[in-house]
Amino acid sequence: MPAYGPDSMIERDFIGYGEHMPDPKWPGGARIAVNFNLNVEGGGEATLANGDPVSEGMLNDIGVDTQVGRRVPLVESLFEYGSRRGAWRILDVFGRFDVKMSVLGVARGLEHNPALARAFVQRGHEMVSHGYRWVDYGEVEEEVEREHLAKAVDILETLTGSRPLGWMTGRPGHNTRRLVMEEGGFLYDRDSLSDELPYWVEGPYGPHLVIPYSYETNDNRFNENSGFSTADHFFQYMRDAFDTLYQEGEAGSPKLLSIGLHDRLIGRPGRIQGLVRLLEHMKKHEGVWFCRGIDIAQHWHANFKRPEQTLAQDLSRSMTPALPDRRPRWRCSTFRHKNSIT
């Protein structure tokens, strides 16, 4: 198993593990690891109420584009729905099935609902930092991004009683992973869509773990009914992904299925039954490891951390340098790319 590679936000890696994936040795000999991730972003989105120059035009589910210089109350209320109602419904479902998830919490949003933040950790779910704001950090100056990173850690620690050990920006810039590694307190980050198993990258203080996320096995396709129009659409797609990876695990190549959820999307009454049916389907199978990101990270740190002296030979794999980023940096930006998703 390759132990390390370069930071993929700086250098690109098209090889990864190659044709044959390593055995992740999931606990109990599991054939698949399933990790649910709930995005809680309401209150951290773009709005004049947060001092931003524009309203939120992304993943607002009602098709309202970004508006410059004015608030859009209906869009704001959609994000409020996730915190007020959707998240509680999702918590009830995961409680019923006794499955723990990773909560990707935007710190500015959770400040508006401390009781919800506490409920997540009191029920055994993991709090992952999803940044201070729900913005595109590719358009934020490095010093501001560093300040936001520290602020997010402090807020989440205050709200939950412990600092987050996982990080997920969602819209990272080329500085993001380096800043996360330099902060020094994270066991892993999720800012990659490149694989189906965790992998190591070279960091300033030793190897840093990346646990891939997914925008594909994700309820973002409910947004404006752009991919999933019904609960069954969600269930069928996720079931097929699970069945494929489960079969590959039975054949000797277990993998990770990362599923992304949003409180304002899957938390709706007409959509939540797709999640219920999916959990029912998964629970019928033996050899499924339901896990949080922190569980995966601790497993990988314990079982797959190779000696540092192998770094040079591992980095000898062919890499393609990324083009330098010469875009102007915004001091504090809420500008969005319309097609971005988290």
Side-chain angles (χ1 to χ4, degrees), residues 64-212:
V64 177
D65 290 332
T66 295
Q67 302 295 310
V68 178
R70 70 180 182 89
R71 292 177 64 177
V72 183
L74 280 183
V75 169
E76 293 178 8
S77 69
L78 184 284
F79 280 87
E80 291 160 11
Y81 176 88
S83 179
R84 290 167 60 130
R85 185 48 40 214
W88 297 109
R89 178 173 289 122
I90 294 165
L91 272 173
D92 288 345
V93 168
F94 278 95
R96 191 190 325 164
F97 285 92
D98 192 25
V99 170
K100 307 306 180 189
M101 58 184 170
S102 297
V103 177
L104 311 183
V106 174
R108 179 72 183 105
L110 285 171
E111 279 186 310
H112 294 294
N113 196 342
L116 180 61
R118 289 192 296 270
F120 286 135
V121 295
Q122 287 169 356
R123 301 187 193 189
H125 305 292
E126 173 200 14
M127 183 62 70
V128 177
S129 179
H130 196 9
Y132 174 62
R133 293 290 310 281
W134 194 52
V135 303
D136 184 349
Y137 280 93
E139 297 180 342
V140 175
E141 284 189 347
E142 179 177 341
E143 63 185 82
V144 175
E145 185 175 8
R146 183 181 287 108
E147 292 169 4
H148 281 200
L149 191 155
K151 201 169 186 177
V153 171
D154 289 345
I155 290 170
L156 293 179
E157 184 170 6
T158 298
L159 290 173
T160 67
S162 60
R163 67 152 290 151
L165 298 177
W167 181 273
M168 165 68 173
T169 305
R171 283 171 281 179
H174 72 280
N175 294 314
T176 299
R177 179 163 293 132
R178 174 174 55 80
L179 294 177
V180 169
M181 292 189 288
E182 288 176 355
E183 195 273 345
F186 292 100
L187 287 182
Y188 71 97
D189 79 66
R190 305 300 301 265
D191 280 316
S192 173
L193 311 174
S194 67
D195 217 314
E196 292 167 352
L197 284 180
Y199 58 90
W200 297 102
V201 297
E202 180 184 9
Y205 306 110
H208 173 76
L209 186 64
V210 178
I211 302 177

Side-chain angles (χ1 to χ4, degrees), residues 1-2 17 20-32 197-198 248-249 252-255 299-300 303-304:
M1 174 187 295
Y17 289 114
H20 302 292
M21 300 284 277
D23 181 0
K25 298 182 173 62
W26 297 136
R31 298 159 196 161
I32 186 173
L197 284 180
E248 291 179 5
S253 182
K255 298 182 180 69
H299 173 78
W300 219 261
N303 291 279
F304 297 107

